[in-house]
Amino acid sequence: MTGTTATAGEAATAAAGPYEIVERSTVADVDRAEWDRLAAGSSLYSGHRWLAYLEQYRDCVPRYLLARRAGRTVGALPLYEFPGDVPKFYDPAQLLPVPQTTGATARPYVLGGTRAGYTTELLLDPGASEEEARGAARALLDRVRELRRDGGLAALLYLTDETAALLLPELGPEDRLMLIDSRARIDVDADGLDGLRGRVGRKTRARIRNEMRNFEEAGCVREVLPLSACHTELGPLAAQVLQRYGYPTSAEEEAARFASQAEQLDDLTQVVLARKDGRVVGFTLFFVENGTMYGRVHGLDDELARSASLYFNLTYYHAIEHAAGAGVTTLDLGCDSHETKVLRGAELQPLWGLFLDLPLDAAGRAELRARHEERIGTFAAWDPRIRTAVADRVAERLAAEPGGRAEPAVRAPSAEPAAAAPSAEPGAPAHDA
């Protein structure tokens, strides 16, 4: 297989059997209607507008791969080549065991899939046959392999179950697939919180009631606004939370980020915020796409966060009520603080990391298996639904390696875990874009 390198505004092509891989160096050169036709039903993070927004970050070289057959685009995948520093939770040195022996620090680093949002999907023509979908997946994966340079590393991170299932038959013996995280999603019923209350246990219903009472008794009032209507008020609150979790940022930086998002993505935004005496004291910024509200970042006034239960009201309860009224069917709360989210009705869905052509010695393979088993065991203790059919196939693949073994059984938890959830916000918000 041969290929050429794309320059600004130009296409590069690579033969891939019956498929031709066409590359664009900016998503502006990909017809938006064509891309979004492939991304129909996919996440916010696969959409043309989100990818265009990300191009303002100049730390990597973007490419957009289109798999075409007989003049028709069947599949697509964004890709980024990092010559230096990589966003923290996309850095293989953070994700792989014994990174010093796996090439995880080598550059350039080729990252297939989105670089922000913790969700990577292979985008496919909704009308593609199973044979066409697998052919496009194979062609795109082969092109990612080709773009890896000697000594570097190529990976696809935060793959959904559906995309991992499509890629599994195309993997070679030196490809490493492992669980790296999970995302929490809450179904939104037409009757809003009443529907959620019907799905959770007695202790959680009491917790919801108490936390909503805290919000009211603190004198907080909810509003839901587009980002353009309130972004100038959010920077200090966001920075306060992020700094607490070790992110090097400032109120000015966060204000600039919100201004940029308001300028480029405003019609996708919904800010669920709380005011007290006219002042914004907390907020959660959501983006809405394809019937899903994606929680991106929150900010809280430290003096009120705990006593008013601001985080839980703005990110869960008032967000669900608003979502139900707006016809939204899913709340996507991303990664982190998984147990807290499960306690409030979320389902955990696996997110997979695929490292291509990564030779490991016996010790490296054993460490990777141990890391995978530890993660899936931890998540399964909170939500046994994490053990999907894809998880079973990955376990079989790992067990088939030299020195491999089956995963230990994990006892399913009771329907209502006894551990109490924290009363302030439990984890750092997403901060990858």
Side-chain angles (χ1 to χ4, degrees):
M1 204 180 295
T2 60
T4 61
T5 302
T7 57
E10 297 179 351
T13 62
Y19 291 87
E20 175 188 50
I21 300 296
V22 176
E23 295 178 18
R24 304 294 187 187
S25 58
T26 172
V27 77
D29 289 336
V30 180
D31 180 72
R32 179 175 163 185
E34 178 184 41
W35 186 278
D36 285 343
R37 175 179 63 84
L38 303 178
S42 298
S43 76
L44 164 76
Y45 308 116
S46 295
H48 193 280
R49 292 181 64 190
W50 180 259
L51 297 173
Y53 163 73
L54 295 179
E55 287 190 6
Q56 67 184 295
Y57 299 103
R58 304 295 183 180
D59 54 354
C60 63
V61 178
R63 300 174 189 246
Y64 303 90
L65 311 184
L66 305 170
R68 290 183 174 165
R69 185 183 192 184
R72 168 170 151 255
T73 302
V74 181
L77 183 73
L79 179 143
Y80 302 90
E81 184 176 302
F82 287 88
D85 292 341
V86 181
K88 181 176 180 180
F89 296 111
Y90 286 83
D91 187 345
Q94 297 285 330
L95 301 170
L96 280 170
V98 289
Q100 68 276 12
T101 64
T102 60
T105 58
R107 299 292 181 270
Y109 166 48
V110 174
L111 176 66
T114 184
R115 57 154 296 165
Y118 308 114
T119 303
T120 286
E121 300 155 298
L122 212 55
L123 305 183
L124 296 168
D125 183 340
S129 67
E130 182 177 348
E131 180 272 330
E132 287 177 317
R134 294 210 174 278
R138 184 181 307 115
L140 291 164
L141 191 63
D142 285 348
R143 186 59 180 150
V144 176
R145 293 186 197 277
E146 283 187 340
L147 291 169
R148 173 188 175 182
R149 297 185 193 172
D150 290 344
L153 184 66
L156 292 89
L157 301 181
Y158 304 101
L159 297 168
T160 63
D161 238 29
E162 295 77 11
T163 293
L166 196 61
L167 294 178
L168 261 166
E170 313 306 326
L171 302 187
E174 299 296 333
D175 296 329
R176 312 296 173 183
L177 184 63
M178 62 183 290
L179 188 71
I180 56 173
D181 214 323
S182 67
R183 64 180 180 181
R185 305 191 113 200
I186 297 177
D187 290 336
V188 176
D189 300 283
D191 53 356
L193 272 179
D194 286 341
L196 178 65
R197 291 187 184 104
R199 297 198 310 273
V200 299
R202 177 180 55 82
K203 292 179 182 177
T204 296
R205 289 196 296 273
R207 187 178 292 119
I208 293 171
R209 185 170 57 251
N210 292 338
E211 288 167 345
M212 294 190 75
R213 184 188 303 121
N214 291 343
F215 186 86
E216 295 174 4
E217 291 179 350
C220 295
V221 178
R222 185 200 81 179
E223 292 183 36
V224 181
L225 299 170
L227 187 56
S228 60
C230 58
H231 70 87
T232 58
E233 302 177 84
L234 308 183
L237 294 175
Q240 190 166 268
V241 171
L242 290 163
Q243 288 166 358
R244 186 185 314 135
Y245 289 98
Y247 289 97
T249 190
S250 65
E252 292 74 23
E253 288 178 81
E254 295 310 306
R257 186 190 309 275
F258 294 137
S260 176
Q261 291 174 342
E263 180 181 0
Q264 299 180 59
L265 302 168
D266 191 52
D267 60 306
L268 302 179
T269 65
Q270 295 281 272
V271 183
V272 182
L273 60 81
R275 291 188 189 273
K276 179 177 171 62
D277 300 328
R279 180 174 63 90
V280 176
V281 294
F283 75 92
T284 299
L285 168 61
F286 292 90
F287 289 80
V288 184
E289 183 80 342
N290 290 330
T292 298
M293 278 176 54
Y294 295 86
R296 287 294 306 164
V297 66
H298 67 268
L300 304 170
D301 182 321
D302 278 347
E303 293 183 4
L304 276 174
R306 185 176 297 274
S307 61
S309 301
L310 289 176
Y311 171 78
F312 294 117
N313 276 278
L314 300 176
T315 304
Y316 295 82
Y317 315 140
H318 290 293
I320 288 171
E321 288 284 76
H322 171 72
V328 168
T329 57
T330 306
L331 207 63
D332 187 312
L333 298 179
C335 308
D336 298 324
S337 307
H338 302 91
E339 184 178 14
T340 295
K341 293 169 182 176
V342 170
L343 279 167
R344 286 167 175 78
E347 175 184 355
L348 298 185
Q349 298 178 348
L351 296 171
W352 303 96
L354 173 58
F355 302 90
L356 298 175
D357 304 313
L358 182 65
L360 294 175
D361 61 16
R365 292 193 303 270
E367 181 62 29
L368 187 145
R369 283 193 300 272
R371 180 79 63 90
H372 166 83
E373 291 169 4
E374 178 185 13
R375 284 177 176 154
I376 202 163
T378 298
F379 292 142
W382 296 325
D383 186 353
R385 292 170 292 184
I386 198 81
R387 290 190 182 276
T388 61
V390 170
D392 290 341
R393 292 169 65 188
V394 173
E396 291 169 3
R397 178 181 168 85
L398 291 170
E401 292 181 342
R405 56 186 173 82
E407 294 174 15
V410 175
R411 181 177 59 85
S414 62
E416 180 89 27
S423 56
E425 90 279 7
H431 195 253
D432 55 347

